[in-house]
Amino acid sequence: MSNIYLGVNMEFVRHEDKSFEWGVNKAGELGYAYVEPMVHWGRELLSEAGYFHSVSMLDDPWRVRRACERVGIRLSGLSRPHPLVQIPEIGVVVPEAGDSLCR
Protein backbone atom coordinates (compact mmCIF):
# COMPACT_ATOMS: atom_id res chain seq x y z
CA MET A 1 0.00 0.00 0.00
CA SER A 2 1.22 3.51 -0.82
CA ASN A 3 1.99 6.22 1.68
CA ILE A 4 0.03 9.45 1.56
CA TYR A 5 1.90 12.61 2.49
CA LEU A 6 0.10 15.81 3.43
CA GLY A 7 0.88 19.10 1.80
CA VAL A 8 -0.43 22.59 2.25
CA ASN A 9 -1.17 25.48 -0.08
CA MET A 10 0.72 28.59 0.96
CA GLU A 11 -2.58 30.43 1.35
CA PHE A 12 -2.64 29.01 4.88
CA VAL A 13 -0.29 31.83 5.95
CA ARG A 14 -2.10 34.54 4.00
CA HIS A 15 -3.13 36.58 7.05
CA GLU A 16 0.22 36.34 8.81
CA ASP A 17 1.73 39.12 6.66
CA LYS A 18 4.99 37.22 6.31
CA SER A 19 7.28 36.15 3.48
CA PHE A 20 7.27 32.98 1.42
CA GLU A 21 10.28 31.67 3.34
CA TRP A 22 8.49 32.24 6.66
CA GLY A 23 5.50 30.27 5.36
CA VAL A 24 7.70 27.37 4.26
CA ASN A 25 9.32 27.29 7.70
CA LYS A 26 5.89 27.31 9.35
CA ALA A 27 4.73 24.42 7.15
CA GLY A 28 7.80 22.46 8.21
CA GLU A 29 7.15 23.21 11.90
CA LEU A 30 3.60 21.90 11.50
CA GLY A 31 4.88 18.67 9.99
CA TYR A 32 3.84 19.04 6.36
CA ALA A 33 5.85 17.09 3.77
CA TYR A 34 4.85 19.28 0.79
CA VAL A 35 3.96 22.89 0.04
CA GLU A 36 2.20 24.43 -2.92
CA PRO A 37 3.50 27.97 -3.47
CA MET A 38 1.35 30.67 -5.00
CA VAL A 39 3.17 32.23 -7.93
CA HIS A 40 2.41 35.36 -9.92
CA TRP A 41 3.72 37.13 -12.97
CA GLY A 42 5.40 40.48 -12.47
CA ARG A 43 6.04 42.23 -9.20
CA GLU A 44 3.79 42.29 -6.15
CA LEU A 45 4.61 45.09 -3.71
CA LEU A 46 3.77 43.16 -0.55
CA SER A 47 5.73 40.11 -1.70
CA GLU A 48 8.75 42.23 -2.56
CA ALA A 49 8.64 43.76 0.92
CA GLY A 50 8.32 40.34 2.61
CA TYR A 51 4.72 40.80 3.75
CA PHE A 52 2.99 38.29 1.47
CA HIS A 53 3.54 34.60 0.75
CA SER A 54 3.44 34.64 -3.06
CA VAL A 55 6.52 34.39 -5.27
CA SER A 56 7.13 36.20 -8.54
CA MET A 57 8.09 34.00 -11.45
CA LEU A 58 10.55 36.73 -12.36
CA ASP A 59 12.53 35.78 -9.23
CA ASP A 60 15.26 33.19 -9.22
CA PRO A 61 13.50 29.77 -9.16
CA TRP A 62 16.27 28.47 -6.92
CA ARG A 63 14.93 30.76 -4.19
CA VAL A 64 11.87 28.51 -3.87
CA ARG A 65 13.92 25.34 -4.00
CA ARG A 66 16.45 26.54 -1.41
CA ALA A 67 13.69 27.57 1.01
CA CYS A 68 12.11 24.12 0.76
CA GLU A 69 15.40 22.24 1.02
CA ARG A 70 16.38 24.14 4.19
CA VAL A 71 13.24 22.87 5.89
CA GLY A 72 13.22 19.43 4.29
CA ILE A 73 9.92 19.69 2.44
CA ARG A 74 9.13 19.38 -1.25
CA LEU A 75 6.94 21.14 -3.80
CA SER A 76 3.69 19.37 -4.64
CA GLY A 77 2.75 21.80 -7.40
CA LEU A 78 2.11 25.47 -7.98
CA SER A 79 -0.91 27.59 -7.30
CA ARG A 80 -1.19 29.80 -10.39
CA PRO A 81 -4.43 31.78 -10.14
CA HIS A 82 -4.62 32.91 -13.78
CA PRO A 83 -7.55 32.06 -16.06
CA LEU A 84 -6.30 30.37 -19.23
CA VAL A 85 -8.88 31.88 -21.55
CA GLN A 86 -9.31 35.37 -20.13
CA ILE A 87 -6.06 36.79 -21.52
CA PRO A 88 -4.26 34.12 -23.58
CA GLU A 89 -0.96 36.02 -23.55
CA ILE A 90 -0.91 35.73 -19.76
CA GLY A 91 -2.98 32.58 -19.23
CA VAL A 92 -0.54 30.47 -21.27
CA VAL A 93 2.77 32.19 -20.53
CA VAL A 94 2.28 32.17 -16.75
CA PRO A 95 1.67 28.40 -16.41
CA GLU A 96 4.55 27.60 -18.75
CA ALA A 97 6.92 29.85 -16.80
CA GLY A 98 5.67 28.41 -13.50
CA ASP A 99 6.53 24.91 -14.64
CA SER A 100 10.20 25.93 -14.66
CA LEU A 101 10.00 26.21 -10.87
CA CYS A 102 9.02 22.56 -10.61
CA ARG A 103 11.82 21.15 -12.75
Side-chain angles (χ1 to χ4, degrees), residues 19-49:
S19 68
F20 168 75
E21 288 80 3
W22 186 91
V24 170
N25 289 333
K26 181 54 90 175
E29 287 175 19
L30 295 173
Y32 286 101
Y34 294 89
V35 293
E36 181 184 86
M38 184 175 117
V39 295
H40 60 270
W41 188 254
R43 296 293 178 197
E44 176 75 37
L45 180 60
L46 292 175
S47 293
E48 293 293 316

Side-chain angles (χ1 to χ4, degrees), residues 2 5 7 13 16 18 23 36 41 52 54-55 59 62 65 67 84 88 91-92 101:
S2 298
Y5 300 99
V13 294
E16 299 294 334
K18 304 287 184 185
E36 181 184 86
W41 188 254
F52 197 62
S54 68
V55 177
D59 286 345
W62 287 96
R65 185 172 184 167
L84 290 174
V92 173
L101 291 172

